Amino acid sequence: MSAQKQIKHTIAEAIKKADSSYFFEDYTKQAQAVLRAIEASGFAVVPKEMPDDLAKLVADNMRTGRIKPEEHVKSILALAFEALKKA
């Protein structure tokens, strides 16, 4: 299953399980369930554009020296995701 199909399925299942009422739905409860399900499935909700302060934080803390390009990218993303969790 593609990542996009997987996340759609994850969200749909979370909403279905969170609130079974037909009237007076609790959208906050549904949203919280969706966010928990997204995180549990290994995905994250992040801003489309990196805020300047976050970019500076990552730049100041990223690894330097001789590392494989893919390791460099993983390191940068890990720093950014960790900073976003704390925000």
Side-chain angles (χ1 to χ4, degrees):
M1 179 181 302
S2 73
Q4 189 164 0
K5 284 183 181 180
Q6 181 182 354
I7 197 67
K8 283 181 188 177
H9 178 75
T10 298
I11 291 169
E13 285 298 311
I15 292 170
K16 182 178 175 182
K17 290 177 184 175
D19 192 3
S20 60
S21 64
Y22 292 104
F23 299 104
F24 308 110
E25 293 88 355
D26 187 342
Y27 296 117
T28 300
K29 183 178 176 183
Q30 292 175 3
Q32 290 168 337
V34 166
L35 291 173
R36 282 192 305 272
I38 288 170
E39 188 169 322
S41 66
F43 290 91
V45 177
V46 297
K48 287 177 81 172
E49 293 187 23
M50 186 179 287
D52 291 338
D53 59 331
L54 178 59
K56 174 140 179 46
L57 177 78
V58 171
D60 290 345
N61 292 289
M62 68 184 186
R63 293 170 50 191
T64 58
R66 295 187 67 163
I67 56 176
K68 294 179 181 179
E70 58 271 16
E71 289 302 317
H72 185 64
V73 171
K74 285 181 184 181
S75 175
I76 289 171
L77 287 174
L79 282 167
F81 286 146
E82 192 60 37
L84 284 168
K85 283 183 188 178
K86 293 177 184 177

